[in-house]
Structure formats: structure tokens, C-alpha cells
Amino acid sequence: MRTMPGAFLHPFAKPTRERFITITRGEGSLLWDADGNELIDAMASLWYCQVGHGRREIADAVARQISTIEAYSCFDPFTNAPADELAERIASLTPIPDARVFYAGSGSEAVDSAMKLARLTHVQAGHPERRLIISRVRGYHGTNYGGTSAQGLPLNKQGYGELLADVVQVPSDDIEALSILMAERSDELAAVITEPVQGAAGVYPPIDGYLAEARRLCDQHGALLIFDEVITGFGRMGTWFAAQHYGVTPDMTTFAKGVTSGYQPLGGVIVGATVRAALEADADFILRHGYTYSGHPAACVGALANLDIIEREGLLDAAVHLGSRLGSGLRALNADGTVDHVRGDVAIFGVQLHEHTNAMHVRDRMLELGVITRAIGTDTVTFCPPLVTTDEQVDRIVDALANALADVAGT
């Protein structure tokens, strides 16, 4: 346990916090801290470590790339083989036909890129008035200014001054509200952006038919549909993308996290035919958007090695098995009245606690019992284990939650 505050200003933490747990090592779904305590990582760090920790195969691949050429700009006229190969690989996995891939360094950059590309698509198609981007309450779309503007989590928007114009939210599960707004501002619409499963708000799967109806409305009004799959992409839903799980194909998909399992920072946007047509129509048009590390070869090599493991070890099927066992355990706690209710789909869950049970206290007690969960607000704890988590480890996660709830209730 490190005692500070020191020079490191931590994200999503109190700047005055003095003590942090120092993670020193990981293997599979297990972690160890500086005091030697073993912890089950029931959150895949932050929704991303699909293949588990300590994968030497990925480390070796990245090291080989760095020893050859660590990085070089992919701005015109340059490219590199790993970036080209990974783009082809991702395009082959997405349900979006004839896809291309734009690279960023994170999910937040990916979301901002998708928002810019949506507006730019309409400009290039001769409709610069189409600027309006609609998102949903409870949505989490990263913390850059675009994603912050699109967030449906009010606390994350406070204190940052004026955000982007023409970015508005509708109630999360109210398809009629979305329909009405789109009809009222049809000529202004650029895009609708949504997480297929709203993750960071506490895990809220879509209500039946919502995503399909959003797709229909976007087609009706000439808007682009953007799926933010930063959390759900690359196996979490038992498919490569949640779009395949729910049977709805977007025009763009943002990705990050699971593409490398966190072994290297990488994000991006998968773009489909409508976006391509607008951007490629004028041979002299220059896409004046990009990042220093767009197409970073070491990050792309890490992603390729990660995807190899997911495929070779059958981790899409493993996600279904993991989710079935974890979901059964969590729902058993709900059935006996231990928790208020359980939300989730496939291998991602949110557990709503009873009123007056503080999620932070539950999180802290679970840490003492050797399991990492994430507290969302004061009433929800979430679970998103690596896809390599064993049955025994899943059972320990559920037992730790049950014991923590009993212990917290007794205080």
C-alpha cells in the first residue's frame, strides 16, 4: 500500500487520497499486490483484459517489434505492416461490410474520432447542416471533450465549462423519445451513438428491440448509427462484437480495451460504406484528423497476438460459459434476497444492492476477501472477469460478494 499523495494525480480518484494498492504482478485472472496479497481480478482491470494477465506471447511479440522499429508516423505517405495487417484482421471480424479501420490510442480518442467522422461524412456528402449527435442517458463515451459532451452521466460533465454544441441526450430506454427528437430535427441529424450494453453506468443491456429500432430510425432519417463497443468488443459478448450478438449492424464501431487486452494502448473506429463513400468520393480530399500514434506498430502487434490467443483458445465460447456460471451465481444471491437485482448479458454484470448498502463498502470488503470488483455510485458493483477465469475462481467471486454483503450488513 503506497502512502501519498505524491506526484501521480490518479484518474477517477480523490486528489487528496493518500493510500493506493500497488499491483505488482499478474497471471491469468490473478493479481498480486506489493504486500503479497493474491487478488482475483473480477473486472479484467477496467473491462479490458480478455486473455488474462502475464501473457508472455504478447510481451515477446511487442518486444520483437520494438527492437525492429518501435514506432513511426502513419501520416501520409507512411504506413507499417502491423497496422495494415491488423486493419485487415479487424475488418474481417466486424459485421460491417467493406469496412476500413481508423486508429486512435484509446477509447476516448476513438469516440471523438467517430463523432468528427460522422459530421465530416455529411459535410463531404453536401449536408454540412447535419451536425446533431444524439446519445443516451447513462451512456459513457470517454472523457475527451467529444465523449464528455455525449456522456449521459451528469457528474462526469460537471466543471469543464461549455461542451460541444449539437450533442444531446435522450432517456436511455425510451425509443419513443428518440423517435420524436429525430423526427423534430431530422434535417439536422448526423448520428446516434450508443453503447450496445451501457457498461460504466452499472451494466444496462438494451431493452428488447431498442437497437434494431434505432437502426431503423437512423435509416429513415439519414443519420449514422455508431456503436460504442469499447467495452463490449472482442469477445465480451461471446461474439467478436455486440453488434453480432444483438443482430444489428452499425455504420461505425468504436473499439479499444479488448483489442489488445490492455497489453498496449490502442483504440480505433471501424467505418462502413456510407462513411467510406463520402470520404473517398473526392480523390483530392485529405482527412485532416489523426493522432501521433495512429497505427503504432508495437500496439498493433500486441493486438494481433491478443487476437491470436482469443481465437486459438476459443475465448468467445469461454465468455458464454463464464457468463453462464457467474450469472447463475449472482442470480442465486438475488433469489435469496441478498441483493436487489442483477443486470447483465453474457460475460458482463451489474449487481444492484439493497437500499442503505454502500457499494464502496462492499468493494473494500471484497478486496479484503481477495476479489476486485468495481463500485458504481453508491448502489452497484460490477463484474467483468477475464475470459480465462476458471470455474473455481468464478465461484470464489460469488462467495466473496455474498460474504462481503453479510459483513457490511453486520457493521
Side-chain angles (χ1 to χ4, degrees):
M1 187 79 78
R2 190 196 73 196
T3 301
M4 300 200 111
F8 182 12
L9 183 62
H10 282 254
F12 280 91
K14 294 178 180 179
T16 55
R17 185 181 176 104
E18 295 182 351
R19 295 172 63 82
F20 291 86
I21 298 169
T22 300
I23 299 297
T24 58
R25 184 169 64 91
E27 182 177 344
S29 294
L30 298 178
L31 299 165
W32 287 266
D33 67 18
D35 296 323
N37 297 309
E38 179 186 282
L39 302 164
I40 298 177
D41 183 4
M43 275 305 300
S45 183
L46 199 62
W47 320 91
Y48 62 69
C49 194
Q50 320 291 56
V51 304
H53 306 283
R55 290 287 192 155
R56 187 59 182 264
E57 177 181 340
I58 302 178
D60 288 346
V62 171
R64 285 193 300 270
Q65 179 60 47
I66 290 174
S67 67
T68 303
I69 176 67
E70 73 295 340
Y72 202 82
S73 166
C74 288
F75 286 21
D76 188 352
F78 302 107
T79 191
N80 64 76
D84 291 338
E85 182 182 352
L86 179 61
E88 296 292 339
R89 182 86 165 268
I90 292 173
S92 74
L93 300 175
T94 177
I96 299 175
D98 300 317
R100 294 184 71 177
V101 177
F102 174 86
Y103 290 118
S106 67
S108 292
E109 290 181 357
V111 167
D112 277 34
S113 296
M115 293 172 70
K116 290 177 74 174
L117 288 169
R119 288 178 170 177
L120 184 62
T121 293
H122 292 293
V123 170
Q124 290 302 108
H127 295 285
E129 72 279 4
R130 286 186 168 269
R131 294 173 44 85
L132 180 66
I133 296 174
I134 302 173
S135 59
R136 298 163 65 200
V137 170
R138 292 200 306 250
Y140 179 88
H141 299 293
T143 54
N144 289 350
Y145 260 93
T148 300
S149 302
Q151 281 213 32
L153 301 172
L155 288 177
N156 290 350
K157 303 174 79 162
Q158 293 179 2
Y160 300 114
E162 185 177 0
L163 300 175
L164 289 183
D166 297 320
V167 181
V168 298
Q169 285 76 55
V170 293
S172 183
D173 295 326
D174 190 342
I175 197 67
E176 184 178 0
L178 177 63
S179 178
I180 291 170
L181 179 59
M182 293 180 77
E184 289 174 345
R185 303 185 66 177
S186 182
D187 293 340
E188 303 170 57
L189 286 172
V192 174
I193 183 170
T194 180
E195 298 166 280
V197 176
Q198 295 182 308
V203 185
Y204 290 86
I207 61 172
D208 288 346
Y210 187 97
L211 298 176
E213 183 63 7
R215 173 74 276 176
R216 188 192 69 79
L217 288 169
C218 285
D219 291 340
Q220 176 184 338
H221 293 286
L224 299 169
L225 179 61
I226 305 169
F227 276 2
D228 182 350
E229 294 227 36
V230 168
I231 287 177
T232 53
F234 299 100
R236 181 54 52 182
M237 307 303 296
T239 49
W240 285 108
F241 294 95
Q244 292 147 323
H245 177 71
Y246 292 112
V248 178
T249 301
D251 298 291
M252 286 190 273
T253 298
T254 63
F255 67 87
K257 294 187 185 292
V259 69
T260 68
S261 287
Y263 281 73
Q264 290 278 275
L266 179 66
V269 186
I270 306 168
V271 304
T274 302
V275 178
R276 286 191 62 174
L279 299 182
E280 296 171 5
D282 180 357
D284 293 325
F285 171 72
I286 297 174
L287 176 59
R288 300 185 187 277
H289 174 67
Y291 301 99
T292 297
Y293 299 127
S294 291
H296 191 290
C300 291
V301 161
L304 288 164
N306 175 65
L307 298 181
D308 285 345
I309 292 171
I310 293 175
E311 289 188 329
R312 185 178 68 245
E313 298 187 3
L315 295 187
L316 302 187
D317 291 338
V320 176
H321 174 79
L322 164 67
S324 176
R325 192 175 187 95
L326 178 58
S328 294
L330 296 176
R331 283 187 285 270
L333 296 181
N334 180 42
D336 67 16
T338 303
V339 301
D340 185 81
H341 67 271
V342 176
R343 301 181 296 269
D345 201 354
V346 189
I348 178 173
F349 292 93
V351 176
Q352 184 83 23
L353 306 178
H354 287 303
E355 190 177 6
H356 308 307
T357 301
N358 188 290
M360 293 293 283
H361 296 165
V362 173
R363 181 204 70 174
D364 290 345
R365 180 59 184 143
M366 288 188 71
L367 277 170
E368 294 172 352
L369 295 171
V371 173
I372 297 174
T373 184
R374 182 161 179 77
I376 304 292
T378 60
D379 59 8
T380 301
V381 290
T382 57
F383 299 91
C384 181
L387 303 183
V388 298
T389 305
T390 67
D391 289 353
E392 185 268 340
Q393 289 166 344
V394 169
D395 295 344
R396 285 168 59 191
I397 291 168
V398 176
D399 289 346
L401 174 59
N403 290 331
L405 288 166
D407 293 344
V408 168
T411 59

